[in-house]
Amino acid sequence: MKKLIDFDKEGFKKEVITNVKTLYRRPIEEATPQQVFQAVSYAVKDDIIDRWIATHKEYEKKNVKTVYYLSMEFLMGRALGNNLINLTYYDAVKEALDELGFDLNLIEDQEPDAALGNGGLGRLAACFLDSLATLGYPAYGCGIRYRYGMFKQAIKDGYQIELPDDWLKDGNPFEIKRPEYAVEVKFGGYVRVENRDGRNYFIQDGYQTVRAVPYDVPVVGYGNNVVNTLRIWDAEADQEFCLDSFDKGEYEKAVEQQNLAKTIVEVLYPNDNHYAGKELRLRQQYFFISASVQRAILKFKEKNSDIHNLPDKVTFQMNDTHPTVAVAELMRILMDEEGLEWDDAWDITTRTCAYTNHTIMAEALEKWPIELFSRLLPRIYQIVEEINRRFVLKIQSMYPGNQDKVKNMAILYDGQVKMAHLAIAGSYSVNGVAALHTKILEERELKDFYEMRPEQFNNKTNGITQRRFLLHGNPLLASWITDKIGDEWIVKLSNLKKLKVYATDEKYQQEFMNIKYQNKIRLANYIKEHNGVDVDPRSIFDVQVKRLHEYKRQLLNILHVMYQYNELKTNPSYDMYPTTYIFGAKASAGYKRAKLIIKLINSVADVINNDASIKGKIKVVFIENYRVSNAELIFAAADVSEQISTASREASGTGNMKFMLNGAVTLGTMDGANVEIVEEVGEENAVIFGLRAEEVMKYEREGGYNPKDIYNNDAAVRTVLTQLINGMYSSDDPDRFRDLYDSLINEDVYFILKDFASYVEAHRKIDTLYRDEKNWAKMVMLNTACAGKFSSDRTIEEYAKEIWNLKKVKVTLD
Ligand code: B1H
């Protein structure tokens, strides 16, 4: 890797030694790996700080437009390795630590993942921050400093157990507390009107307040001295908890405030693609939004005298509907604090806010009961009511007499606040996250809104950062690529297309496949260490890692494994290439069926892995606690990328892109960004199966299909289904998996049986393709070579130009 930033190795080593001494009163020889991790991180932070200061000086000097990426989730993973990579001296630090007698890999392993997110949506936010900094765009990430992040998953007797993720227990060396930027956030109470100088002022009274205190985390750009900020908010009780108040009989009130503050940021809700409607969740939303928007306005006012210019200097990008109270909060600040009239405030707000939609899953739609919303946020609710009143008038004037339009588009309806409708009404841009997803939004899900204002809609196909998911996660492949085409791909991923010429050359094919093999050994070692299962790195590594959700169809995958096992046992002529099926998935703690699917996967693994008669032809591995840090190992080692969601349901997917980049072949449906992956790499270099989105949606319009027809006509399916209830995988409790059986036979909402035959066929095709080593190598290499489009750098350039209107900034150190 080219060093773009100077590194003083001896100075660095000295600093690490000093840090161990001052932090832990120990000589380095006696330091634990965790202590070395902390000491190294503080040394790295020192280097980051100067750049961080320089970056913000530049932003202030130029008075640049800034995007505030508002998100309930930032799934950052580990920081140390990534920061070293982006400071361009990862290798130099590795060497320095070697000389001190430490292995950087082991030191990195001391760091807990910052798991402030569930899955794709949170990881996308993290990739976006990396790209924004690397491209030199002024940006803040704004979120919550959850005391506990995504739970840690343990597997016990095949069942998922959730353990608290105490990620802050050893301290977070990269963050900086900024008490000087604390603000107050108000909950509850009532609103009274006060007339001053002939104007009505709305005053919230009788409320409870929470102090929002920001912690800043540096986001280092690649080799460019830019350091942006992820600002995550902690909550503290507003008044000092003093025993004095006990005498005044206010002790209880003080305790209550303390608790209110503590609970707000206590834990991340572990739901992916699911709305639970909990009051505390709405508190979390308003808490971080009010704090972030207040701060942004204060900052704007430091350099700008006319609030009307806000849209020229700020965009609030709302990551799904979770931050949508931002629309009303901005209105509140503009009117109640800045003294603007409604029309003025609305004009500014709707030129400042923008909304990204990430899902069409009905169960993910946020609809807050008005009773709850208005009780918790009385002034905000008043504003939402007025937004709704005016919006409904607009609908009625565009479509006179059309009650359906009002019913489908109103923000307040049926006693609920519909957050997506508020987000659309309050935004100048609405975007989907892959071409197919955006098309479905426009033509179906948000059709009425699209027809009302088509120019508001646009697509921004997701992307991923190659710095983490190739340069850091797959160092062997990264240096091979750099060897062939230079290292500019690190900031310009489209350069990978230059690799195409190597894909047909046998020598390079061997080199590439040897790297894949080394990465498979690395993963096999991880699996041995963490699962105690031996897997053969020569087998096909067929991988499905993502959150567990019915629509993602892990059930289809494991049913197919059961089918193959049956073939091996009963059909003497059945021939299959040895395959290791690798799963990794967390299920939301309250999602029973998802948890049962995890148990099924582990039960199938138990039976098959212990059956010597099949000679190891199939192995099934469930990797415990799938998260960003082990994902990096998994993507690098995969041969086959399972992307098998029911067509139309996966808005984009981003794991699919990480696999492709690392040279895996997609086995998938025509869903989300898979469609664009196939477009880039060519149909012959992916294996596609199953119903198309159009077909799925047609069935749905017509009331579904009848899974019993398939059960009755397909003996192989029948056998597999029967094995769910005959105790084959649950001898101690044959009824354990009956719920899965019933769901498939009676409804099969996700078209698992409908797609089964086609999925079997797709696997046969993979088997055949894999045996043709040269062609397989070519396919794999073309996947890497054609992954350029899926860099989050490309995505962010599109957002910056087409939505945010941001200008790049150059930062130099003096
Ligand atoms: C995605 C979510 C999500 N879409 C609600 N929606 C949540 C919804 O806590 N909640 O209430 C949490 C997450 N997550 C994912 O976003 C999509 O399913 C993926 O297809 C997409 O790639 C990803 C990023 O756009």
mmCIF file of all heavy atoms in Angstrom, residues 62-99:
data_model
loop_
_atom_site.group_PDB
_atom_site.id
_atom_site.type_symbol
_atom_site.label_atom_id
_atom_site.label_comp_id
_atom_site.label_asym_id
_atom_site.label_seq_id
_atom_site.Cartn_x
_atom_site.Cartn_y
_atom_site.Cartn_z
ATOM 1 N N LYS A 62 -14.304 27.988 4.807
ATOM 2 C CA LYS A 62 -15.032 28.026 3.533
ATOM 3 C C LYS A 62 -16.536 28.169 3.730
ATOM 4 O O LYS A 62 -17.265 28.359 2.763
ATOM 5 C CB LYS A 62 -14.742 26.728 2.750
ATOM 6 C CG LYS A 62 -13.286 26.532 2.386
ATOM 7 C CD LYS A 62 -13.088 26.603 0.872
ATOM 8 C CE LYS A 62 -11.641 26.693 0.460
ATOM 9 N NZ LYS A 62 -10.919 25.416 0.570
ATOM 10 N N ASN A 63 -17.012 28.021 4.979
ATOM 11 C CA ASN A 63 -18.456 28.063 5.257
ATOM 12 C C ASN A 63 -19.218 27.160 4.278
ATOM 13 O O ASN A 63 -20.111 27.578 3.553
ATOM 14 C CB ASN A 63 -18.966 29.506 5.169
ATOM 15 C CG ASN A 63 -20.407 29.631 5.668
ATOM 16 O OD1 ASN A 63 -20.928 28.753 6.350
ATOM 17 N ND2 ASN A 63 -21.070 30.717 5.299
ATOM 18 N N VAL A 64 -18.814 25.903 4.279
ATOM 19 C CA VAL A 64 -19.293 24.942 3.282
ATOM 20 C C VAL A 64 -20.675 24.393 3.600
ATOM 21 O O VAL A 64 -21.112 24.404 4.758
ATOM 22 C CB VAL A 64 -18.334 23.724 3.228
ATOM 23 C CG1 VAL A 64 -17.027 24.116 2.588
ATOM 24 C CG2 VAL A 64 -18.123 23.158 4.626
ATOM 25 N N LYS A 65 -21.346 23.902 2.581
ATOM 26 C CA LYS A 65 -22.588 23.176 2.827
ATOM 27 C C LYS A 65 -22.259 21.816 3.426
ATOM 28 O O LYS A 65 -21.306 21.151 3.013
ATOM 29 C CB LYS A 65 -23.400 22.985 1.541
ATOM 30 C CG LYS A 65 -24.715 22.264 1.836
ATOM 31 C CD LYS A 65 -25.721 22.258 0.692
ATOM 32 C CE LYS A 65 -27.005 21.581 1.171
ATOM 33 N NZ LYS A 65 -27.995 21.391 0.120
ATOM 34 N N THR A 66 -23.059 21.402 4.396
ATOM 35 C CA THR A 66 -22.796 20.164 5.143
ATOM 36 C C THR A 66 -24.019 19.260 5.088
ATOM 37 O O THR A 66 -25.143 19.734 5.213
ATOM 38 C CB THR A 66 -22.505 20.499 6.621
ATOM 39 O OG1 THR A 66 -21.401 21.408 6.673
ATOM 40 C CG2 THR A 66 -22.182 19.257 7.431
ATOM 41 N N VAL A 67 -23.774 17.962 4.929
ATOM 42 C CA VAL A 67 -24.893 17.029 5.054
ATOM 43 C C VAL A 67 -24.857 16.425 6.454
ATOM 44 O O VAL A 67 -23.800 16.077 6.980
ATOM 45 C CB VAL A 67 -24.864 15.915 3.976
ATOM 46 C CG1 VAL A 67 -23.637 15.008 4.119
ATOM 47 C CG2 VAL A 67 -26.130 15.061 4.057
ATOM 48 N N TYR A 68 -26.032 16.396 7.062
ATOM 49 C CA TYR A 68 -26.199 15.707 8.341
ATOM 50 C C TYR A 68 -26.917 14.404 8.050
ATOM 51 O O TYR A 68 -28.092 14.422 7.659
ATOM 52 C CB TYR A 68 -26.997 16.565 9.324
ATOM 53 C CG TYR A 68 -26.225 17.779 9.810
ATOM 54 C CD1 TYR A 68 -26.180 18.946 9.063
ATOM 55 C CD2 TYR A 68 -25.527 17.745 11.010
ATOM 56 C CE1 TYR A 68 -25.461 20.053 9.495
ATOM 57 C CE2 TYR A 68 -24.800 18.838 11.455
ATOM 58 C CZ TYR A 68 -24.767 19.983 10.696
ATOM 59 O OH TYR A 68 -24.053 21.072 11.128
ATOM 60 N N TYR A 69 -26.204 13.294 8.185
ATOM 61 C CA TYR A 69 -26.809 11.995 7.917
ATOM 62 C C TYR A 69 -27.432 11.503 9.214
ATOM 63 O O TYR A 69 -26.732 11.094 10.151
ATOM 64 C CB TYR A 69 -25.747 11.023 7.391
ATOM 65 C CG TYR A 69 -26.351 9.826 6.692
ATOM 66 C CD1 TYR A 69 -26.806 9.917 5.388
ATOM 67 C CD2 TYR A 69 -26.490 8.610 7.356
ATOM 68 C CE1 TYR A 69 -27.389 8.833 4.748
ATOM 69 C CE2 TYR A 69 -27.065 7.518 6.723
ATOM 70 C CZ TYR A 69 -27.516 7.642 5.411
ATOM 71 O OH TYR A 69 -28.096 6.572 4.780
ATOM 72 N N LEU A 70 -28.769 11.618 9.288
ATOM 73 C CA LEU A 70 -29.487 11.305 10.527
ATOM 74 C C LEU A 70 -29.873 9.835 10.514
ATOM 75 O O LEU A 70 -30.593 9.385 9.621
ATOM 76 C CB LEU A 70 -30.754 12.159 10.630
ATOM 77 C CG LEU A 70 -30.584 13.680 10.478
ATOM 78 C CD1 LEU A 70 -31.951 14.375 10.554
ATOM 79 C CD2 LEU A 70 -29.645 14.236 11.544
ATOM 80 N N SER A 71 -29.391 9.084 11.496
ATOM 81 C CA SER A 71 -29.655 7.646 11.468
ATOM 82 C C SER A 71 -29.709 7.071 12.874
ATOM 83 O O SER A 71 -28.853 7.367 13.703
ATOM 84 C CB SER A 71 -28.569 6.934 10.645
ATOM 85 O OG SER A 71 -28.801 5.540 10.621
ATOM 86 N N MET A 72 -30.720 6.241 13.123
ATOM 87 C CA MET A 72 -30.804 5.534 14.407
ATOM 88 C C MET A 72 -29.689 4.504 14.529
ATOM 89 O O MET A 72 -29.483 3.944 15.600
ATOM 90 C CB MET A 72 -32.139 4.770 14.502
ATOM 91 C CG MET A 72 -33.367 5.617 14.693
ATOM 92 S SD MET A 72 -33.485 6.318 16.337
ATOM 93 C CE MET A 72 -34.174 4.962 17.272
ATOM 94 N N GLU A 73 -29.041 4.184 13.401
ATOM 95 C CA GLU A 73 -28.062 3.102 13.407
ATOM 96 C C GLU A 73 -26.783 3.477 12.656
ATOM 97 O O GLU A 73 -26.848 4.027 11.553
ATOM 98 C CB GLU A 73 -28.668 1.854 12.718
ATOM 99 C CG GLU A 73 -29.995 1.401 13.299
ATOM 100 C CD GLU A 73 -30.438 0.042 12.778
ATOM 101 O OE1 GLU A 73 -29.613 -0.682 12.196
ATOM 102 O OE2 GLU A 73 -31.633 -0.284 12.972
ATOM 103 N N PHE A 74 -25.659 3.177 13.266
ATOM 104 C CA PHE A 74 -24.364 3.228 12.582
ATOM 105 C C PHE A 74 -23.607 1.964 12.975
ATOM 106 O O PHE A 74 -23.118 1.846 14.094
ATOM 107 C CB PHE A 74 -23.548 4.470 12.986
ATOM 108 C CG PHE A 74 -24.091 5.744 12.419
ATOM 109 C CD1 PHE A 74 -25.014 6.504 13.130
ATOM 110 C CD2 PHE A 74 -23.713 6.192 11.156
ATOM 111 C CE1 PHE A 74 -25.530 7.684 12.608
ATOM 112 C CE2 PHE A 74 -24.220 7.377 10.629
ATOM 113 C CZ PHE A 74 -25.136 8.119 11.360
ATOM 114 N N LEU A 75 -23.552 1.034 12.061
ATOM 115 C CA LEU A 75 -22.921 -0.258 12.359
ATOM 116 C C LEU A 75 -21.445 -0.171 11.956
ATOM 117 O O LEU A 75 -21.041 -0.641 10.902
ATOM 118 C CB LEU A 75 -23.674 -1.357 11.594
ATOM 119 C CG LEU A 75 -23.435 -2.821 11.895
ATOM 120 C CD1 LEU A 75 -23.230 -3.082 13.373
ATOM 121 C CD2 LEU A 75 -24.590 -3.644 11.377
ATOM 122 N N MET A 76 -20.649 0.446 12.829
ATOM 123 C CA MET A 76 -19.283 0.823 12.457
ATOM 124 C C MET A 76 -18.309 -0.350 12.474
ATOM 125 O O MET A 76 -17.298 -0.339 11.780
ATOM 126 C CB MET A 76 -18.768 1.921 13.383
ATOM 127 C CG MET A 76 -19.617 3.184 13.395
ATOM 128 S SD MET A 76 -19.654 4.045 11.815
ATOM 129 C CE MET A 76 -18.058 4.848 11.819
ATOM 130 N N GLY A 77 -18.553 -1.345 13.323
ATOM 131 C CA GLY A 77 -17.548 -2.404 13.475
ATOM 132 C C GLY A 77 -16.352 -1.863 14.234
ATOM 133 O O GLY A 77 -16.467 -0.901 14.995
ATOM 134 N N ARG A 78 -15.200 -2.458 13.982
ATOM 135 C CA ARG A 78 -14.006 -2.015 14.698
ATOM 136 C C ARG A 78 -13.382 -0.794 14.024
ATOM 137 O O ARG A 78 -13.426 -0.673 12.808
ATOM 138 C CB ARG A 78 -12.980 -3.140 14.721
ATOM 139 C CG ARG A 78 -13.401 -4.300 15.598
ATOM 140 C CD ARG A 78 -12.410 -5.431 15.450
ATOM 141 N NE ARG A 78 -12.724 -6.525 16.344
ATOM 142 C CZ ARG A 78 -12.291 -7.764 16.165
ATOM 143 N NH1 ARG A 78 -11.521 -8.066 15.128
ATOM 144 N NH2 ARG A 78 -12.619 -8.707 17.029
ATOM 145 N N ALA A 79 -12.739 0.039 14.855
ATOM 146 C CA ALA A 79 -12.181 1.280 14.332
ATOM 147 C C ALA A 79 -10.674 1.210 14.067
ATOM 148 O O ALA A 79 -10.195 1.785 13.081
ATOM 149 C CB ALA A 79 -12.470 2.421 15.304
ATOM 150 N N LEU A 80 -9.941 0.517 14.918
ATOM 151 C CA LEU A 80 -8.476 0.625 14.825
ATOM 152 C C LEU A 80 -7.942 0.256 13.442
ATOM 153 O O LEU A 80 -7.268 1.057 12.797
ATOM 154 C CB LEU A 80 -7.795 -0.229 15.907
ATOM 155 C CG LEU A 80 -6.258 -0.267 15.825
ATOM 156 C CD1 LEU A 80 -5.648 1.120 15.936
ATOM 157 C CD2 LEU A 80 -5.671 -1.199 16.896
ATOM 158 N N GLY A 81 -8.241 -0.954 12.998
ATOM 159 C CA GLY A 81 -7.728 -1.415 11.708
ATOM 160 C C GLY A 81 -8.145 -0.488 10.586
ATOM 161 O O GLY A 81 -7.350 -0.119 9.720
ATOM 162 N N ASN A 82 -9.414 -0.085 10.629
ATOM 163 C CA ASN A 82 -9.922 0.793 9.580
ATOM 164 C C ASN A 82 -9.227 2.151 9.591
ATOM 165 O O ASN A 82 -8.894 2.700 8.545
ATOM 166 C CB ASN A 82 -11.428 0.959 9.753
ATOM 167 C CG ASN A 82 -12.082 1.406 8.471
ATOM 168 O OD1 ASN A 82 -12.577 2.513 8.371
ATOM 169 N ND2 ASN A 82 -12.043 0.563 7.463
ATOM 170 N N ASN A 83 -8.993 2.685 10.764
ATOM 171 C CA ASN A 83 -8.302 3.971 10.839
ATOM 172 C C ASN A 83 -6.874 3.859 10.305
ATOM 173 O O ASN A 83 -6.398 4.748 9.588
ATOM 174 C CB ASN A 83 -8.302 4.491 12.281
ATOM 175 C CG ASN A 83 -9.680 4.996 12.704
ATOM 176 O OD1 ASN A 83 -10.523 5.309 11.866
ATOM 177 N ND2 ASN A 83 -9.919 5.050 13.999
ATOM 178 N N LEU A 84 -6.210 2.766 10.649
ATOM 179 C CA LEU A 84 -4.841 2.570 10.149
ATOM 180 C C LEU A 84 -4.831 2.474 8.628
ATOM 181 O O LEU A 84 -3.985 3.055 7.950
ATOM 182 C CB LEU A 84 -4.228 1.307 10.760
ATOM 183 C CG LEU A 84 -3.939 1.372 12.264
ATOM 184 C CD1 LEU A 84 -3.418 0.028 12.760
ATOM 185 C CD2 LEU A 84 -2.933 2.479 12.573
ATOM 186 N N ILE A 85 -5.799 1.717 8.109
ATOM 187 C CA ILE A 85 -5.919 1.589 6.652
ATOM 188 C C ILE A 85 -6.087 2.970 6.021
ATOM 189 O O ILE A 85 -5.398 3.337 5.074
ATOM 190 C CB ILE A 85 -7.145 0.703 6.299
ATOM 191 C CG1 ILE A 85 -6.848 -0.765 6.584
ATOM 192 C CG2 ILE A 85 -7.596 0.929 4.869
ATOM 193 C CD1 ILE A 85 -6.172 -1.524 5.490
ATOM 194 N N ASN A 86 -7.004 3.760 6.561
ATOM 195 C CA ASN A 86 -7.297 5.049 5.928
ATOM 196 C C ASN A 86 -6.213 6.091 6.171
ATOM 197 O O ASN A 86 -6.071 7.037 5.407
ATOM 198 C CB ASN A 86 -8.674 5.547 6.370
ATOM 199 C CG ASN A 86 -9.801 4.830 5.630
ATOM 200 O OD1 ASN A 86 -9.535 3.890 4.886
ATOM 201 N ND2 ASN A 86 -11.023 5.262 5.812
ATOM 202 N N LEU A 87 -5.424 5.897 7.237
ATOM 203 C CA LEU A 87 -4.262 6.769 7.434
ATOM 204 C C LEU A 87 -3.096 6.303 6.548
ATOM 205 O O LEU A 87 -2.029 6.917 6.560
ATOM 206 C CB LEU A 87 -3.834 6.759 8.903
ATOM 207 C CG LEU A 87 -4.777 7.478 9.886
ATOM 208 C CD1 LEU A 87 -4.444 7.116 11.324
ATOM 209 C CD2 LEU A 87 -4.711 8.988 9.691
ATOM 210 N N THR A 88 -3.312 5.224 5.846
ATOM 211 C CA THR A 88 -2.350 4.609 4.902
ATOM 212 C C THR A 88 -1.069 4.121 5.583
ATOM 213 O O THR A 88 -0.053 3.976 4.921
ATOM 214 C CB THR A 88 -1.970 5.560 3.728
ATOM 215 O OG1 THR A 88 -1.191 6.655 4.232
ATOM 216 C CG2 THR A 88 -3.188 6.073 3.003
ATOM 217 N N TYR A 89 -1.122 3.873 6.869
ATOM 218 C CA TYR A 89 0.085 3.275 7.436
ATOM 219 C C TYR A 89 -0.194 1.997 8.236
ATOM 220 O O TYR A 89 0.463 1.708 9.219
ATOM 221 C CB TYR A 89 0.940 4.290 8.196
ATOM 222 C CG TYR A 89 0.307 5.128 9.271
ATOM 223 C CD1 TYR A 89 -0.364 4.557 10.344
ATOM 224 C CD2 TYR A 89 0.441 6.527 9.232
ATOM 225 C CE1 TYR A 89 -0.892 5.339 11.356
ATOM 226 C CE2 TYR A 89 -0.095 7.326 10.236
ATOM 227 C CZ TYR A 89 -0.758 6.725 11.296
ATOM 228 O OH TYR A 89 -1.277 7.502 12.287
ATOM 229 N N TYR A 90 -1.153 1.251 7.786
ATOM 230 C CA TYR A 90 -1.456 -0.048 8.409
ATOM 231 C C TYR A 90 -0.209 -0.940 8.439
ATOM 232 O O TYR A 90 0.167 -1.466 9.485
ATOM 233 C CB TYR A 90 -2.574 -0.742 7.631
ATOM 234 C CG TYR A 90 -3.056 -2.026 8.282
ATOM 235 C CD1 TYR A 90 -4.131 -2.011 9.164
ATOM 236 C CD2 TYR A 90 -2.448 -3.254 8.004
ATOM 237 C CE1 TYR A 90 -4.585 -3.175 9.770
ATOM 238 C CE2 TYR A 90 -2.890 -4.421 8.598
ATOM 239 C CZ TYR A 90 -3.963 -4.376 9.481
ATOM 240 O OH TYR A 90 -4.402 -5.538 10.075
ATOM 241 N N ASP A 91 0.439 -1.073 7.283
ATOM 242 C CA ASP A 91 1.605 -1.976 7.205
ATOM 243 C C ASP A 91 2.743 -1.491 8.091
ATOM 244 O O ASP A 91 3.430 -2.291 8.728
ATOM 245 C CB ASP A 91 2.087 -2.095 5.761
ATOM 246 C CG ASP A 91 1.057 -2.801 4.888
ATOM 247 O OD1 ASP A 91 0.218 -3.534 5.457
ATOM 248 O OD2 ASP A 91 1.073 -2.598 3.659
ATOM 249 N N ALA A 92 2.917 -0.186 8.141
ATOM 250 C CA ALA A 92 4.006 0.375 8.952
ATOM 251 C C ALA A 92 3.749 0.132 10.439
ATOM 252 O O ALA A 92 4.664 -0.202 11.194
ATOM 253 C CB ALA A 92 4.135 1.869 8.671
ATOM 254 N N VAL A 93 2.498 0.254 10.848
ATOM 255 C CA VAL A 93 2.172 0.004 12.255
ATOM 256 C C VAL A 93 2.325 -1.482 12.574
ATOM 257 O O VAL A 93 2.791 -1.862 13.652
ATOM 258 C CB VAL A 93 0.750 0.512 12.589
ATOM 259 C CG1 VAL A 93 0.254 -0.048 13.916
ATOM 260 C CG2 VAL A 93 0.739 2.033 12.628
ATOM 261 N N LYS A 94 1.955 -2.295 11.603
ATOM 262 C CA LYS A 94 2.121 -3.746 11.785
ATOM 263 C C LYS A 94 3.596 -4.052 12.079
ATOM 264 O O LYS A 94 3.929 -4.797 13.010
ATOM 265 C CB LYS A 94 1.662 -4.466 10.514
ATOM 266 C CG LYS A 94 1.466 -5.953 10.691
ATOM 267 C CD LYS A 94 0.783 -6.544 9.453
ATOM 268 C CE LYS A 94 0.653 -8.052 9.549
ATOM 269 N NZ LYS A 94 -0.055 -8.500 10.762
ATOM 270 N N GLU A 95 4.445 -3.425 11.291
ATOM 271 C CA GLU A 95 5.884 -3.618 11.472
ATOM 272 C C GLU A 95 6.347 -3.098 12.837
ATOM 273 O O GLU A 95 7.084 -3.776 13.567
ATOM 274 C CB GLU A 95 6.597 -2.833 10.367
ATOM 275 C CG GLU A 95 7.832 -3.469 9.803
ATOM 276 C CD GLU A 95 8.342 -2.598 8.658
ATOM 277 O OE1 GLU A 95 7.833 -2.792 7.530
ATOM 278 O OE2 GLU A 95 9.192 -1.720 8.909
ATOM 279 N N ALA A 96 5.892 -1.919 13.191
ATOM 280 C CA ALA A 96 6.287 -1.313 14.474
ATOM 281 C C ALA A 96 5.889 -2.227 15.634
ATOM 282 O O ALA A 96 6.666 -2.444 16.569
ATOM 283 C CB ALA A 96 5.648 0.060 14.625
ATOM 284 N N LEU A 97 4.671 -2.753 15.538
ATOM 285 C CA LEU A 97 4.197 -3.613 16.635
ATOM 286 C C LEU A 97 4.958 -4.935 16.661
ATOM 287 O O LEU A 97 5.261 -5.461 17.737
ATOM 288 C CB LEU A 97 2.700 -3.859 16.508
ATOM 289 C CG LEU A 97 1.828 -2.647 16.861
ATOM 290 C CD1 LEU A 97 0.348 -2.949 16.649
ATOM 291 C CD2 LEU A 97 2.060 -2.202 18.311
ATOM 292 N N ASP A 98 5.264 -5.447 15.479
ATOM 293 C CA ASP A 98 6.115 -6.655 15.401
ATOM 294 C C ASP A 98 7.382 -6.434 16.203
ATOM 295 O O ASP A 98 7.804 -7.281 16.983
ATOM 296 C CB ASP A 98 6.511 -6.943 13.942
ATOM 297 C CG ASP A 98 5.521 -7.891 13.288
ATOM 298 O OD1 ASP A 98 4.747 -8.525 14.033
ATOM 299 O OD2 ASP A 98 5.514 -7.980 12.036
ATOM 300 N N GLU A 99 7.973 -5.279 15.975
ATOM 301 C CA GLU A 99 9.237 -4.976 16.654
ATOM 302 C C GLU A 99 9.059 -4.865 18.165
ATOM 303 O O GLU A 99 9.985 -5.099 18.922
ATOM 304 C CB GLU A 99 9.842 -3.688 16.074
ATOM 305 C CG GLU A 99 10.333 -3.913 14.640
ATOM 306 C CD GLU A 99 10.706 -2.615 13.924
ATOM 307 O OE1 GLU A 99 10.890 -1.599 14.619
ATOM 308 O OE2 GLU A 99 10.790 -2.638 12.687
#
